[in-house]
Amino acid sequence: MTKNTMDTEVGLTTEQRQKYAHDGWVVVPSLFTADECDGLIRHMDAVHAGEITVAGIVPPADGADHLIDVDQCHIHDPVCRAFMLHPKLRVPLKDALGGADPEGIKSCYWWKGSQWSQNWHCDGTALPGCIGVWIPLVDVDEEIGTLGLQTGGHLKRKLHHDDLRPGKWAGNRTHSGDPELRAKLTKEVFEENKAAGAAEVNILAKKG
């Protein structure tokens, strides 16, 4: 007996699609099971402890207040790659992309919070035309650390790579360009959005 896996792929509801289009974000509750979340945590904790060796991933030192994440983990780790390309993600992402098939572009796993480096920022600068997926592997709120968003900011002014590459940075295809200019423009956009009434929201999400 066989089963079509498409039967288990659930997309966004009409209400969720409308919210995503208007607000720029939507929470899809309980997409992953507790066992699936716990399984990835156990695997990554074992990588962190050196119990599992993954070529290309160097675990941070104990007590490190930086280097506490692994970037592009799907390139090196088949477990992370399988999670990133999980069938459960395909249909919701396709709905959010207006029917376009999603492609996995970038991945990151955080062993600790990212507040040391992740203040208000514009992800579209580095990844124009992309959308982000954040999977809470534990229950998250303001106390444990979560995402802060400006609702509707995706419909307002955007920063692009070329905005950050005047003068000596011209033609430099680095990730960020001029860091001082980036900070200045990011603040400008944040204040413009705030003045336009873009509500700030901290995402509360249950595991999965």
PDB file of all heavy atoms in Angstrom, residues 144-169:
ATOM      1  N   ILE A 144      12.600  34.431  26.601  1.00  0.00           N
ATOM      2  CA  ILE A 144      13.603  33.502  26.089  1.00  0.00           C
ATOM      3  C   ILE A 144      14.309  34.070  24.868  1.00  0.00           C
ATOM      4  O   ILE A 144      15.416  33.683  24.531  1.00  0.00           O
ATOM      5  CB  ILE A 144      12.965  32.133  25.752  1.00  0.00           C
ATOM      6  CG1 ILE A 144      14.048  31.071  25.595  1.00  0.00           C
ATOM      7  CG2 ILE A 144      12.112  32.210  24.497  1.00  0.00           C
ATOM      8  CD1 ILE A 144      13.501  29.670  25.453  1.00  0.00           C
ATOM      9  N   GLY A 145      13.671  35.035  24.216  1.00  0.00           N
ATOM     10  CA  GLY A 145      14.236  35.642  23.015  1.00  0.00           C
ATOM     11  C   GLY A 145      13.417  35.280  21.792  1.00  0.00           C
ATOM     12  O   GLY A 145      13.097  34.115  21.578  1.00  0.00           O
ATOM     13  N   THR A 146      13.097  36.275  20.994  1.00  0.00           N
ATOM     14  CA  THR A 146      12.269  36.021  19.822  1.00  0.00           C
ATOM     15  C   THR A 146      12.560  37.065  18.751  1.00  0.00           C
ATOM     16  O   THR A 146      13.501  37.851  18.881  1.00  0.00           O
ATOM     17  CB  THR A 146      10.776  36.024  20.204  1.00  0.00           C
ATOM     18  OG1 THR A 146      10.001  35.650  19.073  1.00  0.00           O
ATOM     19  CG2 THR A 146      10.326  37.385  20.702  1.00  0.00           C
ATOM     20  N   LEU A 147      11.767  37.077  17.703  1.00  0.00           N
ATOM     21  CA  LEU A 147      11.932  38.025  16.617  1.00  0.00           C
ATOM     22  C   LEU A 147      11.089  39.267  16.853  1.00  0.00           C
ATOM     23  O   LEU A 147       9.936  39.174  17.259  1.00  0.00           O
ATOM     24  CB  LEU A 147      11.492  37.393  15.288  1.00  0.00           C
ATOM     25  CG  LEU A 147      12.303  36.232  14.732  1.00  0.00           C
ATOM     26  CD1 LEU A 147      11.688  35.761  13.429  1.00  0.00           C
ATOM     27  CD2 LEU A 147      13.736  36.644  14.515  1.00  0.00           C
ATOM     28  N   GLY A 148      11.672  40.429  16.577  1.00  0.00           N
ATOM     29  CA  GLY A 148      10.922  41.672  16.559  1.00  0.00           C
ATOM     30  C   GLY A 148      10.777  42.133  15.115  1.00  0.00           C
ATOM     31  O   GLY A 148      11.757  42.122  14.361  1.00  0.00           O
ATOM     32  N   LEU A 149       9.570  42.508  14.718  1.00  0.00           N
ATOM     33  CA  LEU A 149       9.313  42.898  13.335  1.00  0.00           C
ATOM     34  C   LEU A 149       8.545  44.219  13.293  1.00  0.00           C
ATOM     35  O   LEU A 149       7.796  44.549  14.202  1.00  0.00           O
ATOM     36  CB  LEU A 149       8.470  41.826  12.623  1.00  0.00           C
ATOM     37  CG  LEU A 149       9.028  40.411  12.572  1.00  0.00           C
ATOM     38  CD1 LEU A 149       7.978  39.457  12.026  1.00  0.00           C
ATOM     39  CD2 LEU A 149      10.280  40.359  11.714  1.00  0.00           C
ATOM     40  N   GLN A 150       8.747  44.948  12.202  1.00  0.00           N
ATOM     41  CA  GLN A 150       7.904  46.095  11.909  1.00  0.00           C
ATOM     42  C   GLN A 150       6.858  45.625  10.909  1.00  0.00           C
ATOM     43  O   GLN A 150       7.160  45.367   9.742  1.00  0.00           O
ATOM     44  CB  GLN A 150       8.717  47.253  11.326  1.00  0.00           C
ATOM     45  CG  GLN A 150       9.479  48.047  12.368  1.00  0.00           C
ATOM     46  CD  GLN A 150      10.136  49.276  11.769  1.00  0.00           C
ATOM     47  OE1 GLN A 150      10.829  49.180  10.761  1.00  0.00           O
ATOM     48  NE2 GLN A 150       9.942  50.424  12.384  1.00  0.00           N
ATOM     49  N   THR A 151       5.638  45.496  11.367  1.00  0.00           N
ATOM     50  CA  THR A 151       4.566  44.976  10.528  1.00  0.00           C
ATOM     51  C   THR A 151       4.364  45.858   9.300  1.00  0.00           C
ATOM     52  O   THR A 151       4.258  47.077   9.409  1.00  0.00           O
ATOM     53  CB  THR A 151       3.253  44.891  11.324  1.00  0.00           C
ATOM     54  OG1 THR A 151       3.406  43.905  12.355  1.00  0.00           O
ATOM     55  CG2 THR A 151       2.095  44.497  10.432  1.00  0.00           C
ATOM     56  N   GLY A 152       4.334  45.225   8.127  1.00  0.00           N
ATOM     57  CA  GLY A 152       4.129  45.940   6.878  1.00  0.00           C
ATOM     58  C   GLY A 152       5.369  46.583   6.304  1.00  0.00           C
ATOM     59  O   GLY A 152       5.310  47.227   5.244  1.00  0.00           O
ATOM     60  N   GLY A 153       6.514  46.384   6.955  1.00  0.00           N
ATOM     61  CA  GLY A 153       7.749  46.993   6.464  1.00  0.00           C
ATOM     62  C   GLY A 153       8.151  46.500   5.081  1.00  0.00           C
ATOM     63  O   GLY A 153       8.881  47.180   4.359  1.00  0.00           O
ATOM     64  N   HIS A 154       7.668  45.316   4.703  1.00  0.00           N
ATOM     65  CA  HIS A 154       8.019  44.761   3.388  1.00  0.00           C
ATOM     66  C   HIS A 154       7.414  45.564   2.245  1.00  0.00           C
ATOM     67  O   HIS A 154       7.870  45.451   1.097  1.00  0.00           O
ATOM     68  CB  HIS A 154       7.546  43.307   3.303  1.00  0.00           C
ATOM     69  CG  HIS A 154       6.062  43.136   3.323  1.00  0.00           C
ATOM     70  ND1 HIS A 154       5.280  43.624   4.361  1.00  0.00           N
ATOM     71  CD2 HIS A 154       5.206  42.546   2.455  1.00  0.00           C
ATOM     72  CE1 HIS A 154       4.008  43.339   4.116  1.00  0.00           C
ATOM     73  NE2 HIS A 154       3.939  42.684   2.970  1.00  0.00           N
ATOM     74  N   LEU A 155       6.406  46.383   2.550  1.00  0.00           N
ATOM     75  CA  LEU A 155       5.749  47.184   1.514  1.00  0.00           C
ATOM     76  C   LEU A 155       6.323  48.596   1.428  1.00  0.00           C
ATOM     77  O   LEU A 155       5.908  49.382   0.584  1.00  0.00           O
ATOM     78  CB  LEU A 155       4.242  47.268   1.797  1.00  0.00           C
ATOM     79  CG  LEU A 155       3.493  45.931   1.840  1.00  0.00           C
ATOM     80  CD1 LEU A 155       2.040  46.160   2.226  1.00  0.00           C
ATOM     81  CD2 LEU A 155       3.601  45.211   0.496  1.00  0.00           C
ATOM     82  N   LYS A 156       7.270  48.896   2.291  1.00  0.00           N
ATOM     83  CA  LYS A 156       7.825  50.250   2.339  1.00  0.00           C
ATOM     84  C   LYS A 156       9.246  50.263   1.763  1.00  0.00           C
ATOM     85  O   LYS A 156       9.650  49.334   1.077  1.00  0.00           O
ATOM     86  CB  LYS A 156       7.767  50.773   3.778  1.00  0.00           C
ATOM     87  CG  LYS A 156       6.325  50.901   4.297  1.00  0.00           C
ATOM     88  CD  LYS A 156       6.279  51.382   5.730  1.00  0.00           C
ATOM     89  CE  LYS A 156       4.854  51.677   6.164  1.00  0.00           C
ATOM     90  NZ  LYS A 156       3.955  50.502   6.093  1.00  0.00           N
ATOM     91  N   ARG A 157       9.976  51.310   2.031  1.00  0.00           N
ATOM     92  CA  ARG A 157      11.311  51.489   1.467  1.00  0.00           C
ATOM     93  C   ARG A 157      12.217  50.312   1.789  1.00  0.00           C
ATOM     94  O   ARG A 157      12.208  49.795   2.900  1.00  0.00           O
ATOM     95  CB  ARG A 157      11.911  52.781   2.039  1.00  0.00           C
ATOM     96  CG  ARG A 157      13.335  53.070   1.603  1.00  0.00           C
ATOM     97  CD  ARG A 157      13.829  54.315   2.331  1.00  0.00           C
ATOM     98  NE  ARG A 157      15.237  54.565   2.115  1.00  0.00           N
ATOM     99  CZ  ARG A 157      15.955  55.462   2.807  1.00  0.00           C
ATOM    100  NH1 ARG A 157      15.362  56.177   3.759  1.00  0.00           N
ATOM    101  NH2 ARG A 157      17.236  55.633   2.571  1.00  0.00           N
ATOM    102  N   LYS A 158      13.016  49.924   0.814  1.00  0.00           N
ATOM    103  CA  LYS A 158      13.946  48.806   0.987  1.00  0.00           C
ATOM    104  C   LYS A 158      15.375  49.268   0.730  1.00  0.00           C
ATOM    105  O   LYS A 158      15.607  50.215  -0.023  1.00  0.00           O
ATOM    106  CB  LYS A 158      13.600  47.661   0.035  1.00  0.00           C
ATOM    107  CG  LYS A 158      12.228  47.035   0.280  1.00  0.00           C
ATOM    108  CD  LYS A 158      11.945  45.952  -0.737  1.00  0.00           C
ATOM    109  CE  LYS A 158      10.620  45.266  -0.458  1.00  0.00           C
ATOM    110  NZ  LYS A 158       9.478  46.196  -0.570  1.00  0.00           N
ATOM    111  N   LEU A 159      16.308  48.587   1.372  1.00  0.00           N
ATOM    112  CA  LEU A 159      17.726  48.822   1.108  1.00  0.00           C
ATOM    113  C   LEU A 159      18.231  47.728   0.175  1.00  0.00           C
ATOM    114  O   LEU A 159      17.838  46.569   0.285  1.00  0.00           O
ATOM    115  CB  LEU A 159      18.529  48.795   2.410  1.00  0.00           C
ATOM    116  CG  LEU A 159      18.182  49.844   3.462  1.00  0.00           C
ATOM    117  CD1 LEU A 159      19.130  49.719   4.649  1.00  0.00           C
ATOM    118  CD2 LEU A 159      18.242  51.253   2.883  1.00  0.00           C
ATOM    119  N   HIS A 160      19.125  48.118  -0.723  1.00  0.00           N
ATOM    120  CA  HIS A 160      19.714  47.170  -1.654  1.00  0.00           C
ATOM    121  C   HIS A 160      21.236  47.243  -1.550  1.00  0.00           C
ATOM    122  O   HIS A 160      21.795  48.220  -1.038  1.00  0.00           O
ATOM    123  CB  HIS A 160      19.261  47.474  -3.081  1.00  0.00           C
ATOM    124  CG  HIS A 160      17.777  47.406  -3.264  1.00  0.00           C
ATOM    125  ND1 HIS A 160      17.089  46.226  -3.395  1.00  0.00           N
ATOM    126  CD2 HIS A 160      16.834  48.398  -3.305  1.00  0.00           C
ATOM    127  CE1 HIS A 160      15.800  46.470  -3.527  1.00  0.00           C
ATOM    128  NE2 HIS A 160      15.617  47.774  -3.461  1.00  0.00           N
ATOM    129  N   HIS A 161      21.901  46.225  -2.056  1.00  0.00           N
ATOM    130  CA  HIS A 161      23.362  46.191  -1.980  1.00  0.00           C
ATOM    131  C   HIS A 161      23.987  47.464  -2.544  1.00  0.00           C
ATOM    132  O   HIS A 161      24.918  48.029  -1.963  1.00  0.00           O
ATOM    133  CB  HIS A 161      23.898  44.979  -2.744  1.00  0.00           C
ATOM    134  CG  HIS A 161      24.094  43.769  -1.880  1.00  0.00           C
ATOM    135  ND1 HIS A 161      24.745  43.812  -0.667  1.00  0.00           N
ATOM    136  CD2 HIS A 161      23.745  42.473  -2.060  1.00  0.00           C
ATOM    137  CE1 HIS A 161      24.785  42.601  -0.132  1.00  0.00           C
ATOM    138  NE2 HIS A 161      24.177  41.769  -0.960  1.00  0.00           N
ATOM    139  N   ASP A 162      23.499  47.921  -3.687  1.00  0.00           N
ATOM    140  CA  ASP A 162      24.121  49.082  -4.317  1.00  0.00           C
ATOM    141  C   ASP A 162      23.974  50.346  -3.477  1.00  0.00           C
ATOM    142  O   ASP A 162      24.751  51.296  -3.639  1.00  0.00           O
ATOM    143  CB  ASP A 162      23.536  49.304  -5.713  1.00  0.00           C
ATOM    144  CG  ASP A 162      24.001  48.245  -6.706  1.00  0.00           C
ATOM    145  OD1 ASP A 162      25.001  47.550  -6.399  1.00  0.00           O
ATOM    146  OD2 ASP A 162      23.377  48.106  -7.769  1.00  0.00           O
ATOM    147  N   ASP A 163      22.986  50.375  -2.577  1.00  0.00           N
ATOM    148  CA  ASP A 163      22.845  51.515  -1.671  1.00  0.00           C
ATOM    149  C   ASP A 163      24.017  51.606  -0.708  1.00  0.00           C
ATOM    150  O   ASP A 163      24.281  52.666  -0.136  1.00  0.00           O
ATOM    151  CB  ASP A 163      21.553  51.395  -0.856  1.00  0.00           C
ATOM    152  CG  ASP A 163      20.302  51.442  -1.717  1.00  0.00           C
ATOM    153  OD1 ASP A 163      20.334  52.113  -2.765  1.00  0.00           O
ATOM    154  OD2 ASP A 163      19.307  50.792  -1.349  1.00  0.00           O
ATOM    155  N   LEU A 164      24.704  50.481  -0.498  1.00  0.00           N
ATOM    156  CA  LEU A 164      25.770  50.404   0.503  1.00  0.00           C
ATOM    157  C   LEU A 164      27.161  50.392  -0.118  1.00  0.00           C
ATOM    158  O   LEU A 164      28.146  50.152   0.574  1.00  0.00           O
ATOM    159  CB  LEU A 164      25.596  49.136   1.348  1.00  0.00           C
ATOM    160  CG  LEU A 164      24.211  48.933   1.971  1.00  0.00           C
ATOM    161  CD1 LEU A 164      24.181  47.621   2.753  1.00  0.00           C
ATOM    162  CD2 LEU A 164      23.833  50.091   2.870  1.00  0.00           C
ATOM    163  N   ARG A 165      27.247  50.702  -1.425  1.00  0.00           N
ATOM    164  CA  ARG A 165      28.532  50.547  -2.094  1.00  0.00           C
ATOM    165  C   ARG A 165      28.977  51.797  -2.850  1.00  0.00           C
ATOM    166  O   ARG A 165      29.396  51.715  -4.006  1.00  0.00           O
ATOM    167  CB  ARG A 165      28.462  49.364  -3.057  1.00  0.00           C
ATOM    168  CG  ARG A 165      28.275  48.042  -2.320  1.00  0.00           C
ATOM    169  CD  ARG A 165      28.554  46.889  -3.246  1.00  0.00           C
ATOM    170  NE  ARG A 165      28.527  45.640  -2.494  1.00  0.00           N
ATOM    171  CZ  ARG A 165      27.614  44.695  -2.651  1.00  0.00           C
ATOM    172  NH1 ARG A 165      26.659  44.838  -3.524  1.00  0.00           N
ATOM    173  NH2 ARG A 165      27.666  43.591  -1.944  1.00  0.00           N
ATOM    174  N   PRO A 166      28.929  52.953  -2.214  1.00  0.00           N
ATOM    175  CA  PRO A 166      29.504  54.142  -2.856  1.00  0.00           C
ATOM    176  C   PRO A 166      31.004  54.199  -2.601  1.00  0.00           C
ATOM    177  O   PRO A 166      31.535  53.462  -1.762  1.00  0.00           O
ATOM    178  CB  PRO A 166      28.782  55.280  -2.147  1.00  0.00           C
ATOM    179  CG  PRO A 166      28.581  54.759  -0.758  1.00  0.00           C
ATOM    180  CD  PRO A 166      28.310  53.271  -0.923  1.00  0.00           C
ATOM    181  N   GLY A 167      31.684  55.087  -3.310  1.00  0.00           N
ATOM    182  CA  GLY A 167      33.104  55.319  -3.050  1.00  0.00           C
ATOM    183  C   GLY A 167      33.949  54.074  -3.108  1.00  0.00           C
ATOM    184  O   GLY A 167      33.912  53.317  -4.073  1.00  0.00           O
ATOM    185  N   LYS A 168      34.721  53.834  -2.054  1.00  0.00           N
ATOM    186  CA  LYS A 168      35.652  52.706  -2.034  1.00  0.00           C
ATOM    187  C   LYS A 168      34.946  51.361  -2.085  1.00  0.00           C
ATOM    188  O   LYS A 168      35.576  50.334  -2.375  1.00  0.00           O
ATOM    189  CB  LYS A 168      36.539  52.780  -0.802  1.00  0.00           C
ATOM    190  CG  LYS A 168      35.806  52.537   0.518  1.00  0.00           C
ATOM    191  CD  LYS A 168      36.760  52.564   1.702  1.00  0.00           C
ATOM    192  CE  LYS A 168      36.020  52.275   3.009  1.00  0.00           C
ATOM    193  NZ  LYS A 168      36.946  52.258   4.172  1.00  0.00           N
ATOM    194  N   TRP A 169      33.652  51.357  -1.801  1.00  0.00           N
ATOM    195  CA  TRP A 169      32.910  50.105  -1.801  1.00  0.00           C
ATOM    196  C   TRP A 169      32.332  49.782  -3.174  1.00  0.00           C
ATOM    197  O   TRP A 169      31.727  48.723  -3.353  1.00  0.00           O
ATOM    198  CB  TRP A 169      31.782  50.162  -0.767  1.00  0.00           C
ATOM    199  CG  TRP A 169      32.282  50.223   0.638  1.00  0.00           C
ATOM    200  CD1 TRP A 169      32.527  51.349   1.368  1.00  0.00           C
ATOM    201  CD2 TRP A 169      32.635  49.128   1.475  1.00  0.00           C
ATOM    202  NE1 TRP A 169      32.997  51.029   2.611  1.00  0.00           N
ATOM    203  CE2 TRP A 169      33.069  49.659   2.715  1.00  0.00           C
ATOM    204  CE3 TRP A 169      32.616  47.746   1.315  1.00  0.00           C
ATOM    205  CZ2 TRP A 169      33.482  48.862   3.775  1.00  0.00           C
ATOM    206  CZ3 TRP A 169      33.018  46.952   2.360  1.00  0.00           C
ATOM    207  CH2 TRP A 169      33.455  47.506   3.579  1.00  0.00           C
TER     208      TRP A 169
END
